[in-house]
Amino acid sequence: MGDLQGFGSQLEGWKRVLARTEKRLCEVQEKYESFFAEIEKAREGELAQLGAHLLEKRGSLPEGLDAKLDAAWKEAEAALEKELAALRERQALLDLQAEEARRRSEEEEQKVHAKNVDLDLKEEALKVRAAELLSRIEGYQQQLRELGSGFGFFSNLFALRDLKRERDVLREEQEDVLGRIEGLRNSWQKADGKWAELEVQLREMWIERTTQAQAVQAKIDHIEQVRPQLLERSALEKVLFEREPVLPAVPTTGARPCERCQTPNHPEQHFCAICGKRLLEDRPDLLGSLLEVAELNLHHRRFSTGVKACQEIIGLVRGLISGLSNFKESVEGMIDTENRYPVGKLDIDVPGAAVQYAKHFGQLESAANVEKGLHPRDFAAQIEAVMEKTYTEEKIQSFFETMGEELSRQADSQW
């Protein structure tokens, strides 16, 4: 039976395997992305050359290119009109929302103003009533002083008592009126506070929607301004980027080795079949550019597949490393508990199912050791073959849950 130290060592070993895999994959990705950037740059250059040729010879282009460009132009124009319609609809909605926020702000301000006017009138009426009560109380006070002075106190005893009773009633009413005034002021402040908060929200909404509407309008204006160039570019890409070559078989003798990867290529190939490096001088003529862009299209699609596969697997490996790191922290926390408290050493082994699953990490490391002449498309297929049905979300979750359940079970039974 093992212990927590051994458990943690096993996790660390798996992390090292995955870290090596990640390092190798990052190297492969960097290489493929650098090749891909070369291909994209070359393809853009060919597109510029071909654009000039096609515009110069429009109406007499070979291979039915005139008809293809006309159809692509109409397709691009329809797509652009659809995009513009969606943008205009979006802008109209944003303008409507901004106007609604402005209108609500005005309405709420008018409501608060009307309410404040009403509260103000009520307060003024209560103030008049309070002043009237105060005046009457002072009158009673004066009468009490006059009746209670000297020997008149004894002769006016009953009158004094009645006056005091009436004065006290007035004082109670005055206190009630003053309380109502204070309540009105609190209502006033509360209404003002709510309005101020709502006003901030409405103003922020108005600014946000107005800014968004202006951004959409700017995009519409830009599209309208460069409309001919956009349509021309879209039509050219549609027609030219769909072309693909029929690469000749590499001869047994007279093959051209690539200076970068040493892969044998047919003497007529413009770019290396593996790394995409240019093998022949750039042909500026129409026919040569058509041949070159066809080859570049093929490489572009292949490298796109390889780069995407590499990015996906790197993300997966990094997720596994992160999960193992977090799990190891939990194990180290339990080791600290063993060292600090009298709970005894935990007898525990890594579950067999987890050990069995982790064997796939070694297979993944082997797949990441790309051979020198492995095309990125083939690399993607190689990686997918290893990953298929193995690195699903459910299986990865089960891998970690199996270990977590074992830790919990052994801790509950032994501590």
Side-chain angles (χ1 to χ4, degrees), residues 78-257:
L80 189 63
E81 286 300 331
K82 186 177 180 180
E83 181 183 358
L84 283 170
L87 287 172
R88 293 188 182 104
E89 184 178 348
R90 172 67 175 160
Q91 184 198 28
L93 177 61
L94 290 168
D95 284 337
L96 184 64
Q97 291 173 342
E99 175 59 23
E100 176 64 17
R102 186 199 64 77
R103 184 189 61 76
R104 275 198 64 195
S105 177
E106 287 186 354
E107 287 181 355
E108 294 299 328
E109 184 177 7
Q110 291 172 1
K111 287 179 183 178
V112 170
H113 178 71
K115 187 172 184 178
N116 285 351
V117 169
D118 180 57
L119 292 174
D120 189 41
L121 292 174
K122 290 181 179 179
E123 182 178 344
E124 289 302 317
L126 288 172
K127 284 180 180 178
V128 171
R129 178 58 178 162
E132 178 187 340
L133 291 171
L134 180 61
S135 176
R136 290 180 61 185
I137 290 170
E138 289 178 350
Y140 278 111
Q141 289 288 91
Q142 180 62 33
Q143 290 183 56
L144 288 171
R145 284 194 292 272
E146 292 174 355
L147 292 175
S149 61
F151 290 101
F153 173 79
F154 296 101
S155 59
N156 298 317
L157 182 60
F158 293 104
L160 285 169
R161 190 176 358 179
D162 291 339
L163 286 173
K164 286 180 179 180
R165 187 180 297 113
E166 291 181 29
R167 180 200 62 187
D168 291 342
V169 170
L170 290 176
R171 280 180 173 172
E172 287 180 5
E173 185 178 351
Q174 184 192 35
E175 289 176 1
D176 177 66
V177 169
L178 293 175
R180 290 166 64 188
I181 291 174
E182 184 65 24
L184 285 173
R185 289 176 176 173
N186 289 336
S187 298
W188 196 335
Q189 291 175 357
K190 188 175 180 180
D192 281 347
K194 288 183 177 179
W195 174 76
E197 182 178 346
L198 180 60
E199 175 63 15
V200 169
Q201 295 174 356
L202 291 172
R203 180 168 180 79
E204 288 178 351
M205 181 182 292
W206 178 81
I207 292 173
E208 179 183 357
R209 297 297 187 270
T210 300
T211 302
Q212 291 174 343
Q214 290 172 348
V216 173
Q217 181 61 54
K219 187 173 183 179
I220 293 172
D221 293 341
H222 175 71
I223 290 176
E224 293 287 8
Q225 185 178 1
V226 298
R227 183 189 185 95
Q229 295 92 321
L230 286 175
L231 293 174
E232 178 186 323
R233 169 80 183 198
S234 297
L236 286 174
E237 287 185 354
K238 171 70 174 174
V239 172
L240 298 177
F241 285 175
E242 287 182 349
R243 298 177 68 88
E244 278 203 11
V246 179
L247 295 179
V250 179
T252 55
T253 59
R256 177 189 296 271

Side-chain angles (χ1 to χ4, degrees), residues 247-265:
L247 295 179
V250 179
T252 55
T253 59
R256 177 189 296 271
C258 173
E259 294 179 359
R260 179 161 58 195
C261 68
Q262 302 304 311
T263 300
N265 290 275

